[in-house]
Amino acid sequence: MEIEELQSILKQLKEAVKYLEMKNATLADCFLQLIKLSYSIKNLSATHITFQQQYTEAFNKRWKQFDFRLYMLAYLLHPLYCDTYFN
């Protein structure tokens, strides 16, 4: 794995942990961080197929545990995004 790619993933993980440890973290924050992390891993170079597959399996396993409707509602009602979609 290239150093730049590893740095990108670790940066996203660090940011996710930072946001989710805040006292005012919401379900929308959690959902948004999962999306950002998935995006950064999905955009790795093609030489890291094994890592991407392992991550995707682990992510999908955890994804099934979420009540997706509740997270989607929290995401859509989040103050940073609700004005964008509900004008």
Side-chain angles (χ1 to χ4, degrees):
M1 184 173 291
E2 300 292 327
I3 296 296
E4 292 82 16
E5 291 177 322
L6 180 59
Q7 181 181 10
S8 170
I9 293 170
L10 291 176
K11 179 183 176 195
Q12 192 57 49
L13 281 170
K14 177 184 169 188
E15 185 176 319
V17 169
K18 179 181 79 172
Y19 277 107
L20 298 177
E21 286 183 340
M22 296 175 128
K23 289 182 181 181
N24 60 348
T26 64
L27 289 175
D29 295 325
C30 180
F31 189 71
L32 186 60
Q33 294 306 317
L34 284 173
I35 291 170
K36 288 180 177 181
L37 183 57
S38 293
Y39 182 78
S40 66
I41 292 176
K42 182 180 179 193
N43 288 324
L44 290 174
S45 65
T47 58
H48 307 297
I49 297 296
T50 303
F51 176 75
Q52 287 175 328
Q53 289 172 343
Q54 291 172 344
Y55 169 80
T56 301
E57 288 175 21
F59 183 86
N60 288 338
K61 178 181 175 184
R62 295 295 181 203
W63 186 259
K64 291 177 186 176
Q65 295 175 344
F66 291 123
D67 181 355
F68 184 73
R69 294 168 300 185
L70 181 61
Y71 280 86
M72 185 56 78
L73 178 63
Y75 176 72
L76 291 174
L77 295 177
H78 193 280
L80 293 176
Y81 305 104
C82 67
D83 290 339
T84 305
Y85 299 108
F86 297 115
N87 282 336

